[in-house]
Amino acid sequence: MMRFIKSLAPLMLLSACAVPVGPVEVSRFHVADASPLGHGTIAVVPGPGMDGSSLEVQSYQIAVERELSALGYTAAPPDSADQIASIRLVRTTLTESRNPVGVSLGASGSNYGSGAGVGISIPIRTGSGQSTATDLIAVIRDRAGGKTLWEGRASFTVSSTSPLAQTQLAAPKLAQALFSGFPGQSGETIRVP
């Protein structure tokens, strides 16, 4: 019995490291005839303004390629793929500053005696917090004609100190949410847990 418990110890430690994940907001749009989506060959490339040599962008490319492969696509070089998926990544640091709170104390007298009053205001700073907003945007185009077939955006905001603010956890989470139920209902915004 003791050996069994010892063999479970590493698994219990891993489960304790699980990061709670809030919902990811996902918006998607696609052409009326979505039949070309989800099969054939596809290349995942950095979108306009993205540095393809960046390790962060490469992490998102790999995560998107993994999701597209699971949907039925086969990875191919950009010059021979049926479709091109270009991705963009937008990360924003948000600072929330809170106003000071005033605390007042007072005293007064009644109708039957003299009265006096005292007021004290003590500002209490509640500090400021930072959070990171991350958006993963993907656009799938037909390579031959350049026609946009599908586009989507997955977004979430977490505390800057959260493990999900880091690329290695955020990339697969956003890619999985973005392509959940692919191609999705065009024009609908959903929350993916």
Side-chain angles (χ1 to χ4, degrees):
M1 179 68 168
M2 192 57 130
R3 271 194 249 160
F4 176 73
I5 292 172
K6 284 183 180 178
S7 67
L8 287 179
L11 293 175
M12 291 188 299
L13 287 174
L14 280 176
S15 68
C17 294
V19 178
V21 177
V24 177
E25 189 171 280
V26 177
S27 299
R28 300 177 280 204
F29 300 88
H30 58 78
V31 292
D33 177 16
S35 64
L37 295 169
H39 57 85
T41 58
I42 195 163
V44 180
V45 300
M50 295 281 95
D51 177 8
S53 65
S54 158
L55 294 177
E56 182 176 40
V57 172
Q58 289 175 11
S59 295
Y60 279 89
Q61 279 183 260
I62 291 167
V64 167
E65 189 173 283
R66 187 176 301 127
E67 291 299 319
L68 291 172
S69 293
L71 291 170
Y73 280 106
T74 303
D79 58 349
S80 64
D82 299 326
Q83 297 172 18
I84 305 291
S86 64
I87 64 163
R88 282 189 37 233
L89 175 66
V90 179
R91 291 175 58 91
T92 309
T93 300
L94 308 169
T95 303
E96 302 170 16
S97 54
R98 299 178 182 117
N99 294 330
V101 176
V103 176
S104 298
L105 303 173
S108 66
S110 70
N111 291 351
Y112 301 105
S114 63
V118 177
I120 301 173
S121 180
I122 304 169
I124 300 172
R125 297 241 177 239
T126 56
S128 64
Q130 284 193 335
S131 54
T132 301
T134 306
D135 295 330
L136 173 61
I137 301 129
V139 177
I140 298 176
R141 290 186 175 87
D142 175 63
R143 185 182 65 84
K147 178 181 178 183
T148 299
L149 303 173
W150 183 93
E151 60 185 59
R153 173 189 296 258
S155 308
F156 73 175
T157 302
V158 295
S159 165
S160 294
T161 59
S162 167
L164 277 172
Q166 304 303 313
T167 298
Q168 65 270 20
L169 292 176
K173 175 63 181 170
L174 284 170
Q176 180 184 28
L178 183 60
F179 294 103
S180 174
F182 182 81
Q185 181 73 30
S186 188
E188 182 179 56
T189 299
I190 61 170
R191 289 183 174 268
V192 178

